[in-house]
Amino acid sequence: MKRWKQILFRAFIFACLAVLFGPFLVPVPELGDLVTEKEFADPDSKFIEVNDVTVHYKEMGEGETTFILLHGFGSSVFSWREVMDDFSKHGRVIAYDRPAFGLTERPMPETWKENPYGMGANVELLRGLMDALKIEKAVLVGNSAGGGVSVAFALTYPERVEKLILVDPGVGGGYGPQFPAWALPIMWTPQMRHLGPLMMRDYQETLPNTIAREWANEANLSAEVKQEYLSALQIKNWDRAFYELTFAPAYPELRPLLPNLTVDTFIIAGADDRLIRSWYFEAISLETPAPLVLLSQCGHVPHEECPERFMQEVINFLEL
């Protein structure tokens, strides 16, 4: 073999070995002082096994109507604290933590039967939760990414949805950040999953700012509320779970499917949302089609920042 061919062959072998084994040489130290989900449980916390995932939820009220509340990215059942009691005056209300968030289990790939973090899995988790809690039909109230899950569920199981309330919904695409389809198998390799936690730990720096931007007026965001959200970064495997969520299996674009919704839908959003601008809500209101209410001086989480006005508009829509 000619010398240049030998050099190319050796370089090729070296490159392959570097790709195969190099990532495993990068140290990924464990984060210290992390706890399990259940160590943060409240007295009214409940846990139920659904689709091999231990789901954390809270429940109030009773009646013929059931409301199911779905939180946004980086959030949890805590985000509904201002309106849970108000919903419970009109029926049974359930708020639950979706996988990767709150106190719901964060399954790791080595324990999966299937990936629990993608949109499709979230739709089936909601169906399984409704079955387990003997809920035939419900009013879905979804904020931000939870609005996306609500729309996907209503498109898949319209017979299980009484009404759909989308709160500053994110329905522009799939469940998480979008990447080319060819890139996903690479991100699912053991090498990239090893490095994944390092990639996600930037959230320790960016999450506080993201939380603040969810409010139109940051002065309304107390230090106690902000700290409650940041407590998610104290739960074991939060970084690995965020990685799996970020690169979860792709899902069809939701926005082009909005005209296919057959359930009665209402969109309510903060006029001063700094994460998703109000013109976006105006556009999807026409595409759905669905009535839209924009709440002045409210941001991405109007059910937290201006709960009284939020509930009044919801009650008006439901004609309660």
Side-chain angles (χ1 to χ4, degrees), residues 73-74 202-203 205-215 218 221 226 229-230 274-275 300-301:
F73 181 88
D202 283 346
Y203 280 118
E205 304 298 328
T206 62
L207 188 57
N209 182 56
T210 300
I211 293 169
R213 292 187 64 220
E214 290 183 335
W215 295 66
E218 292 182 30
L221 174 61
K226 191 172 185 178
Y229 280 117
L230 294 177
R274 294 189 288 165
L275 296 183
H300 193 63
V301 286

Side-chain angles (χ1 to χ4, degrees), residues 105-257:
E105 180 186 6
R106 292 158 171 76
M108 294 294 99
E110 52 269 22
T111 67
W112 292 347
K113 291 181 181 177
E114 60 180 321
N115 188 317
Y117 295 103
M119 177 69 85
N122 269 261
V123 167
E124 293 306 314
L125 184 78
L126 175 52
R127 182 190 61 80
L129 179 66
M130 291 176 68
D131 290 346
L133 298 179
K134 303 186 186 309
I135 301 168
E136 184 58 34
K137 207 169 187 177
V139 176
L140 300 185
V141 185
N143 173 231
S144 194
V149 176
S150 301
V151 167
F153 185 88
L155 290 166
T156 307
Y157 299 108
E159 71 282 359
R160 305 293 298 270
V161 181
E162 185 174 340
K163 291 180 185 292
L164 192 60
I165 299 175
L166 304 178
V167 186
D168 295 72
V171 293
Y175 180 52
Q178 298 302 290
F179 298 89
W182 59 263
L184 292 178
I186 297 174
M187 306 312 291
W188 297 335
T189 61
Q191 291 85 352
M192 291 308 299
R193 280 185 163 136
H194 171 74
L195 297 175
L198 291 180
M199 299 167 61
M200 295 297 111
R201 289 176 187 177
D202 283 346
Y203 280 118
Q204 292 174 307
E205 304 298 328
T206 62
L207 188 57
N209 182 56
T210 300
I211 293 169
R213 292 187 64 220
E214 290 183 335
W215 295 66
N217 183 353
E218 292 182 30
N220 295 332
L221 174 61
S222 70
E224 292 77 16
V225 169
K226 191 172 185 178
Q227 185 55 48
E228 182 68 26
Y229 280 117
L230 294 177
S231 66
L233 304 182
Q234 300 175 40
I235 295 176
K236 289 181 180 178
N237 289 325
W238 70 263
D239 47 356
R240 293 185 66 190
F242 274 10
Y243 180 84
E244 297 299 340
L245 170 70
T246 301
F247 297 102
Y251 196 81
E253 288 272 345
L254 288 175
R255 186 168 176 178
L257 300 177

Side-chain angles (χ1 to χ4, degrees), residues 36-108:
T36 64
E37 294 88 354
K38 290 189 176 181
E39 290 181 63
F40 273 118
D42 296 318
D44 59 342
S45 290
K46 296 183 179 181
F47 294 88
I48 188 171
E49 190 84 7
V50 180
N51 297 353
D52 299 316
V53 177
T54 302
V55 177
H56 171 251
Y57 71 102
K58 294 189 177 185
E59 180 176 3
M60 296 179 68
E62 58 184 15
E64 294 183 4
T65 301
T66 298
F67 303 94
I68 299 181
L69 315 182
L70 295 93
H71 62 78
F73 181 88
S75 191
S76 67
V77 300
F78 176 74
S79 71
W80 302 107
R81 67 196 176 281
E82 300 287 352
V83 296
M84 280 279 289
D85 185 61
D86 294 305
F87 274 110
S88 72
K89 294 174 183 175
H90 303 284
R92 182 185 185 190
V93 54
I94 292 165
Y96 73 100
D97 294 331
R98 294 180 292 106
F101 306 111
L103 305 187
T104 285
E105 180 186 6
R106 292 158 171 76
M108 294 294 99

